[in-house]
Amino acid sequence: MNTYAKTKYHASFIGLSIILLLAYLVVMLKGVDLQKLILVSFVGVTALGGLTFIWHRWWKKAHRFHIAVSLLVLSSFIGAAVPLYKVAGFTIYPFRILLAWCIFMLIGFIYYQNKYIVTGLSRMKESIFTSFGGLWLFFGFFALSWSINPMNTIQDIIFLASGIFLIYLILLVYRNEEDYKELYFYWIIMSLLLVGIGLINHFFHIHLPISRINHVAQYQKGIPTAVFTNENDFASFLAIAIFFFLSLLKNGKSLAYKLIGLSGMVCSIYLIVLASSRANYIAILLGLIVWFLFVLKPSQRLRLSLAGLLFFLPVVIFLWDKVSGVLGSVGKELATLLPTEGGGDSVSIRENLLKNVMVFLENSFGFGVAPGNIELYMKKFQVYDTSGDYNVHNWWAEVLIHYGVIIFVGYILLLIYLFIQLVKIVRTNHDQASRYMGEALICGLGAFTMASISPNSFMALHYNWLFIGVCIGFVYMKKKGEDHIVKTNGSINHP
């Protein structure tokens, strides 16, 4: 890198540090109490340390558009936790600003025929998801024609468009093994940040303004929510993040990496238990089953089975009461997905919500009720009583009833395709970069199936789209072969 470029990047980094410092001083001058200052200090120091590591490891020689998209990816973990401004009910926060900036940059690069961007766009044309994402967006706009609440539909389409554009940008920018190793460590760094905030939530009872825990009784103040509105959203994130930590523990060459992986896993499980998110207990179990069946070698499975039998057999014998209690709790959560008889309990409510979804789907001839309309349909047209609960609490049902059978089937087929390809990658690639990301994604995808039914709406959670985008991009990169383009400052070099 030439002297001018070094000076420019150093100046940018110093500028970012100054901005973080000024933000910290503003918070102090506002008279924030000591407890909240602890949270601000932790976030600020962690963010600066993480950005320093990322800068020196990946961004020094990166294309400026790569840096912009990477900042967008990092901001997607924070979501709406840092609202900057509200306009007519529409909240502006860092992710949305950076998304608009990336699109603006992209238009400029296309206009000037930048080689880095043109090459990436040519690769995207061959991706199946590029066409499917466009079809999904088109159907969302088409559904406006029968929406009974167009404003809700437009709001849902904005979330959908944000998620699909994020996936498009991942396909455009991240092209080789080193890029996906970079993305992998983004997950680790940001997961550590969110786990740290969750622990502060629990032990110090300090929560961000977005958290619902600010308005609950004192005995519930220890429930962690990190940067999310409620504990279920946070627990679903952790159920996926756990398998990035597990991959780091298993594949990390240094002791430090293994300790970070182990600590991250233990703290994540602890926070999920505190959140009492039973769906995510099952999500973790599904992820571990995938890890056992598709990641471990036969000899490793045998050794682990024998060790587990020797450890758990005495536990089951001597602590049967506690074990049966845990199994009963899991059984109740599984029962929410099965037909039951009953009155106003949560099992019956969930069953009736899904029954209403099927009625609405049948009445709409499989096209759905249009994005953002299901709660209004539940209030006005429900056939089965849901005791005042109108949110379906199920991502799969949400996609089905909002976007219809065609989009739903396409989405399911996409996930099945990704899972099959990830299994092939994990079994045939033995280099460290592939193991890191491949194992984390395949187990995370297993956990995703249940983690996605815990939040009220998975559509608005950016980590949902980021995770699927990384799966799509990684599979595409491995299937088509590495793009050997080396990232440089505005140009392309072929080694």
Side-chain angles (χ1 to χ4, degrees):
M1 186 183 291
N2 59 42
T3 304
Y4 170 74
K6 283 183 179 179
T7 303
K8 180 179 69 172
Y9 283 124
H10 288 163
S12 300
F13 182 72
I14 291 170
L16 179 62
S17 302
I18 292 172
I19 290 171
L20 288 172
L21 179 61
L22 288 174
Y24 181 76
L25 291 173
V26 167
V27 170
M28 285 196 298
L29 290 172
K30 277 187 149 186
V32 176
D33 60 69
L34 180 61
Q35 286 189 332
K36 290 186 177 177
L37 199 58
I38 292 172
L39 180 58
V40 173
S41 301
F42 171 78
V43 173
V45 170
T46 306
L48 190 57
L51 285 173
T52 302
F53 172 76
I54 292 168
W55 186 279
H56 287 283
R57 181 66 180 80
W58 287 292
W59 289 357
K60 271 189 173 182
K61 297 181 180 180
H63 189 282
R64 52 190 176 275
F65 189 64
H66 180 102
I67 296 175
V69 173
S70 296
L71 287 170
L72 175 69
V73 168
L74 291 170
S75 71
S76 68
F77 289 92
I78 305 301
V82 188
L84 301 177
Y85 193 68
K86 284 191 176 182
V87 182
F90 184 78
T91 305
I92 298 174
Y93 47 87
F95 175 84
R96 287 178 172 169
I97 293 174
L98 286 165
L99 180 61
W101 176 243
C102 286
I103 293 172
F104 175 77
M105 287 181 69
L106 180 60
I107 293 170
F109 282 131
I110 293 173
Y111 178 79
Y112 287 106
Q113 292 291 296
N114 182 277
K115 290 182 180 179
Y116 177 82
I117 300 300
V118 171
T119 304
L121 289 173
S122 65
R123 294 174 71 256
M124 281 183 61
K125 292 178 183 177
E126 302 173 10
S127 171
I128 297 173
F129 181 80
T130 304
S131 301
F132 178 68
L135 175 64
W136 197 342
L137 272 175
F138 171 79
F139 186 88
F141 284 109
F142 180 62
L144 275 167
S145 60
W146 65 82
S147 172
I148 62 174
N149 192 327
M151 290 306 298
N152 279 4
T153 300
I154 291 171
Q155 184 182 42
D156 211 74
I157 290 172
I158 289 172
F159 287 126
L160 175 66
S162 298
I164 289 177
F165 282 138
L166 176 61
I167 295 175
Y168 282 169
L169 291 171
I170 289 171
L171 280 167
L172 178 62
V173 168
Y174 300 100
R175 308 177 185 179
N176 53 51
E177 292 278 7
E178 187 63 20
D179 288 340
Y180 282 91
K181 192 173 181 181
E182 177 184 351
L183 272 176
Y184 173 82
F185 278 97
Y186 288 173
W187 273 91
I188 295 296
I189 292 168
M190 296 307 293
S191 296
L192 288 172
L193 173 63
L194 268 59
V195 164
I197 296 174
L199 292 173
I200 291 174
N201 292 158
H202 175 62
F203 289 110
F204 296 97
H205 294 184
I206 308 169
H207 298 270
L208 292 173
I210 194 175
S211 174
R212 78 169 188 89
I213 305 301
N214 289 306
H215 310 290
V216 300
Q218 186 62 37
Y219 74 92
Q220 292 181 301
K221 292 292 184 180
I223 297 174
T225 57
V227 298
F228 302 98
T229 302
N230 60 67
E231 62 273 24
N232 286 330
D233 295 356
F234 183 35
S236 293
F237 169 81
L238 292 174
I240 296 171
I242 278 174
F243 295 101
F244 284 81
F245 289 126
L246 177 60
S247 176
L248 187 65
L249 172 64
K250 179 176 177 290
N251 300 300
K253 289 186 175 180
S254 70
L255 179 61
Y257 279 179
K258 291 185 180 296
L259 288 176
I260 290 171
L262 179 61
S263 302
M265 275 191 67
V266 171
C267 291
S268 296
I269 293 172
Y270 177 65
L271 291 170
I272 290 174
V273 172
L274 291 174
S276 301
S277 182
R278 290 177 298 166
N280 286 297
Y281 301 161
I282 303 172
I284 295 171
L285 178 62
L286 288 175
L288 289 174
I289 290 172
V290 171
W291 180 74
F292 182 81
L293 294 177
F294 298 105
V295 173
L296 296 182
K297 297 176 181 178
S299 59
Q300 293 174 321
R301 290 200 292 270
L302 179 60
R303 289 198 298 269
L304 186 63
S305 298
L306 291 174
L309 184 64
L310 292 174
F311 175 78
F312 285 109
L313 192 58
V315 172
V316 171
I317 292 173
F318 295 107
L319 299 173
W320 173 246
D321 290 341
K322 292 184 178 181
V323 172
S324 62
V326 172
L327 293 175
S329 177
V330 172
K332 287 180 181 179
E333 188 60 42
L334 287 172
T336 63
L337 305 177
L338 301 173
T340 60
E341 299 293 334
D345 57 67
S346 61
V347 174
S348 298
I349 290 171
R350 286 203 176 217
E351 180 195 356
N352 286 344
L353 285 166
L354 294 179
K355 282 182 177 179
N356 283 321
V357 164
M358 299 312 296
V359 170
F360 300 149
L361 187 68
E362 183 180 352
N363 292 341
S364 64
F365 303 101
F367 284 95
V369 299
N373 281 330
I374 184 58
E375 291 196 31
L376 192 56
Y377 269 76
M378 286 289 182
K379 288 179 184 178
K380 291 188 174 183
F381 311 118
Q382 67 174 234
V383 177
Y384 301 96
D385 180 47
T386 59
S387 302
D389 194 344
Y390 307 120
N391 190 297
V392 294
H393 298 285
N394 189 313
W395 168 240
W396 310 104
E398 188 179 343
V399 173
L400 177 62
I401 195 58
H402 278 167
Y403 294 93
V405 173
I406 295 174
I407 297 299
F408 178 76
V409 170
Y411 182 66
I412 296 295
L413 291 176
L414 172 67
L415 295 183
I416 293 172
Y417 170 79
L418 291 175
F419 185 82
I420 293 172
Q421 294 302 318
L422 285 169
V423 170
K424 291 180 180 178
I425 290 169
V426 168
R427 288 182 172 177
T428 57
N429 289 264
H430 303 292
D431 56 286
Q432 189 184 40
S434 295
R435 304 298 297 184
Y436 270 138
M437 185 60 90
E439 292 181 11
L441 292 180
I442 191 175
C443 298
L445 201 55
F448 176 85
T449 55
M450 280 300 292
S452 56
I453 74 167
S454 186
N456 288 342
S457 175
F458 221 44
M459 178 67 74
L461 296 176
H462 299 304
Y463 70 78
N464 161 30
W465 300 101
L466 176 63
F467 178 72
I468 297 301
V470 174
C471 288
I472 292 169
F474 183 70
V475 166
Y476 182 71
M477 182 270 293
K478 296 299 293 185
K479 190 171 178 62
K480 295 296 181 181
E482 273 199 37
D483 181 351
H484 293 289
I485 294 174
V486 177
K487 303 187 297 289
T488 60
N489 183 28
S491 61
I492 299 175
N493 290 335
H494 295 275

